[in-house]
Amino acid sequence: MILLINNDIFLFEIKFLIFQFLARFGMGFIYSVISIRDLPDSILVIVSAGGLSVSNFETRNIKIMPRQPYILSQFLRLLPRYEFQLIVNKYKGDYHTKHFKCWDHLASMMVAHIRQEDSLRDIDMTLNAHASKLYHIGIKQCPKSTLADANELRDYRIYEEFAKTLMHRARREYAQTELAVEVDNAVYALDASTIDLTLSLFPWAKFRKTKGAIKLHAMLDLRGNIPAFLYITDGKVHDVKAAPQVPIEPEGIYVVDRAYVDFSWLWSIHQTGAFFVTRLKRSIKWTRVLSHPVDKSLGLRSDQEILLATKKSKGLYPNRLRRISFRDETQGRTLVFLSNNFVLTAETIAALYKARWEIELFFKWIKQNLRIKTFYGTSPNAVKTQVWIAMVVYLVLAILKQRYYLDLAMSQLLHFLEVNLFEQKPLLSIFQTNPRYKRRDEDKQLKLFDF
């Protein structure tokens, strides 16, 4: 008896040739050809005959083709599964769950974000259309009601903590990336963006009298444009109210707009040993202490050291501040910056504030390419779960781009991934452009005289 066992190799043709029984059977030579096509991943072929031994069994013409994993399976391998399971165990996410685990929930929602599915029914139809592939990918299918219950009931903190784990990983990947501005400090851009909701469906999302919304408070590490902080609140929470939640790193530079001009918070940044760059409000009263010369050919108009004039503001921030005026000729306006950094040049301070625009592009990207403007559930837990899993998709794409030196935009990476999600090919091959057919330029017209 011979056992032929194969788990990972696709055999599309096997031929067993020439085996001979012992002469005492009087059967001479017996030739047998066995062809097996389209075998499953795990097969067990048993060949037995009276008196057959390995010494008189010969195989020839064995054609073996490696079976590539599915693209979705390779994409999910970029996630730290062990760390995810530790977080699931911490919040008892799989407690009393038999089939649809948190990993299956995460993978299903990632598919929904990548493919921009409109509803739970669309997610169910997509996974059902590829039901035979899900076992090999390592996830399980579920009806849309089970997915809806998972969004409503599973603790969103599982995916929040996992996304924060990926934030640290992504920032390590981009640690050596050069900034657009030549500074040695870590530079962060802080801002908030509102996502409108229907108040009748989301009554908990307070914003205005007839309108609901949630607000994403994000801090972007400009060394790679990786989110280093994300906080979700109701739409009516002012930007600066979420600022105390932001971790302040000594020697870091925090670039914010005028919505964050709260001198008590800016003083806490100064006390930590960090720096801030923001814009000065017109309503703030100040007095000039000292002026420095500037190069007006660069657009600079003034570089001054000031003190706050009113008693209340001076009590909140008693030290000197730096006021820089810059003329933007392209837009025809003058910008006035406020900072506590007296070391960097005035030109560098202006360039730092210009780099703050990257966080606006970040909000624009996730709203256009991920599913965070329409939601699959109406509870706070369902909305936050969907937002945090969207961050997981963004961070994995960023890690993939940096780790394998892919010179493509994030939107292109996401599109290639969407098109090839259930294909069997190497992951990196889907990001390579195939050569296009080029029309020959030679003239096919018959010539009467060939000179």
Side-chain angles (χ1 to χ4, degrees):
M1 178 178 294
I2 295 177
L3 302 181
L4 176 60
I5 303 176
N6 181 16
N7 290 323
D8 297 315
I9 300 178
F10 177 73
L11 307 179
F12 85 100
E13 184 174 354
I14 301 177
K15 293 183 178 180
F16 299 97
L17 297 173
I18 309 174
F19 62 90
Q20 181 184 17
F21 282 96
L22 298 176
R24 65 177 179 271
F25 288 100
M27 300 179 64
F29 291 93
I30 298 178
Y31 297 91
S32 175
V33 179
I34 305 175
S35 295
I36 304 176
R37 297 180 182 274
D38 300 329
L39 295 178
D41 289 336
S42 299
I43 60 173
L44 175 62
V45 178
I46 303 176
V47 181
S48 63
L52 182 67
S53 62
V54 177
S55 60
N56 54 33
F57 177 76
E58 183 179 356
T59 63
R60 294 178 182 174
N61 299 331
I62 300 180
K63 298 180 181 180
I64 300 176
M65 182 173 65
R67 188 187 186 107
Q68 291 288 347
Y70 292 97
I71 294 297
L72 178 57
S73 175
Q74 298 175 67
F75 187 70
L76 292 176
R77 288 178 188 174
L78 296 173
L79 300 174
R81 179 77 179 268
Y82 177 74
E83 294 182 20
F84 177 75
Q85 195 58 46
L86 288 179
I87 298 171
V88 171
N89 296 339
K90 175 182 176 180
Y91 292 101
K92 298 182 179 180
D94 289 337
Y95 188 65
H96 284 172
T97 303
K98 294 183 179 179
H99 302 291
F100 195 63
K101 304 290 186 180
C102 286
W103 180 257
D104 304 318
H105 184 204
L106 174 66
S108 301
M109 291 296 291
M110 290 179 69
V111 170
H113 281 293
I114 294 170
R115 293 178 55 88
Q116 289 281 292
E117 302 293 359
D118 293 326
S119 63
L120 292 172
R121 187 183 300 276
D122 290 343
I123 302 173
D124 182 36
M125 291 175 63
T126 297
L127 296 177
N128 186 57
H130 301 280
S132 60
K133 305 174 183 177
L134 299 184
Y135 170 79
H136 308 289
I137 294 173
I139 60 176
K140 293 181 180 179
Q141 185 189 3
C142 73
K144 63 180 184 297
S145 59
T146 304
L147 183 57
D149 292 340
N151 287 336
E152 296 286 334
L153 302 176
R154 266 189 195 143
D155 198 335
Y156 75 91
R157 292 177 296 176
I158 296 173
Y159 309 103
E160 176 185 3
E161 193 165 324
F162 185 57
K164 291 179 179 178
T165 301
L166 290 178
M167 287 179 188
H168 294 297
R169 284 176 171 259
R171 291 179 63 191
R172 286 198 299 267
E173 293 281 347
Y174 285 86
Q176 304 303 321
T177 304
E178 294 184 0
L179 284 168
V181 185
E182 294 184 2
V183 292
D184 297 329
N185 310 62
V187 183
Y188 303 96
L190 180 63
D191 203 356
S193 181
T194 302
I195 299 176
D196 295 333
L197 299 173
T198 304
L199 191 60
S200 59
L201 296 177
F202 303 86
W204 51 270
K206 305 297 183 183
F207 185 42
R208 293 175 184 166
K209 188 174 181 180
T210 59
K211 190 176 181 180
I214 61 171
K215 185 174 284 189
L216 302 183
H217 305 265
M219 183 176 70
L220 210 64
D221 187 349
L222 297 184
R223 201 178 296 275
N225 297 336
I226 302 299
F229 169 81
L230 188 70
Y231 188 56
I232 304 173
T233 63
D234 296 339
K236 67 186 303 181
V237 177
H238 195 271
D239 298 4
V240 77
K241 296 297 182 182
Q245 304 292 332
V246 178
I248 304 300
E249 174 185 333
E251 298 296 327
I253 300 176
Y254 296 84
V255 187
V256 296
D257 60 10
R258 285 180 292 187
Y260 291 89
V261 178
D262 178 7
F263 288 110
S264 60
W265 181 65
L266 296 179
W267 178 252
S268 67
I269 295 178
H270 180 75
Q271 290 293 97
T272 311
F275 306 100
F276 59 84
V277 176
T278 184
R279 288 180 62 187
L280 183 64
K281 292 182 179 180
R282 294 180 181 178
S283 59
I284 296 176
K285 305 298 182 181
W286 53 274
T287 57
R288 181 176 62 89
V289 178
L290 186 65
S291 294
H292 299 281
V294 296
D295 186 358
K296 294 189 177 182
S297 64
L298 300 176
L300 298 171
R301 293 295 179 265
S302 65
D303 183 4
Q304 303 168 331
E305 295 183 21
I306 65 171
L307 284 172
L308 299 177
T310 63
K311 183 178 180 180
K312 180 179 180 181
S313 59
K314 188 182 296 186
L316 296 174
Y317 200 103
N319 285 15
R320 289 186 182 185
L321 288 166
R322 189 178 182 185
R323 179 185 180 272
I324 298 171
S325 180
F326 178 84
R327 178 65 181 177
D328 186 359
E329 296 294 347
T330 58
Q331 297 185 2
R333 59 175 183 169
T334 301
L335 304 176
V336 181
F337 306 120
L338 190 68
S339 178
N340 66 331
N341 191 305
F342 296 89
V343 178
L344 298 177
T345 64
E347 181 185 1
T348 303
I349 297 292
L352 282 171
Y353 192 84
K354 183 179 180 181
R356 192 199 68 86
W357 188 251
E358 293 296 333
I359 195 168
E360 304 289 352
L361 298 179
F362 166 75
F363 285 128
K364 179 181 178 181
W365 193 94
I366 61 175
K367 287 182 178 181
Q368 289 182 346
N369 296 279
L370 299 174
R371 206 70 182 173
I372 63 169
K373 294 181 71 175
T374 56
F375 294 92
Y376 304 124
T378 57
S379 69
N381 192 82
V383 170
K384 292 179 180 180
T385 295
Q386 189 169 330
V387 172
W388 283 112
I389 294 180
M391 289 298 103
V392 171
V393 175
Y394 178 87
L395 292 165
V396 178
L397 277 176
I399 291 173
L400 177 68
K401 176 181 171 66
Q402 180 68 10
R403 183 175 295 175
Y404 297 104
Y405 306 102
L406 299 176
D407 192 19
L408 293 172
M410 291 278 285
S411 56
Q412 291 177 303
L413 296 180
L414 185 64
H415 181 68
F416 284 132
L417 189 64
E418 175 190 356
V419 173
N420 298 277
L421 199 57
F422 293 99
E423 296 290 332
Q424 286 181 285
K425 56 180 71 173
L427 178 60
L428 297 183
S429 68
I430 69 174
F431 304 118
Q432 300 172 358
T433 305
N434 296 321
R436 302 180 186 274
Y437 171 75
K438 293 184 178 180
R439 190 172 183 177
R440 295 182 179 179
D441 295 333
E442 60 186 39
D443 189 5
K444 296 183 180 180
Q445 177 68 35
L446 292 176
K447 296 179 180 181
L448 183 59
F449 303 103
D450 188 8
F451 294 102

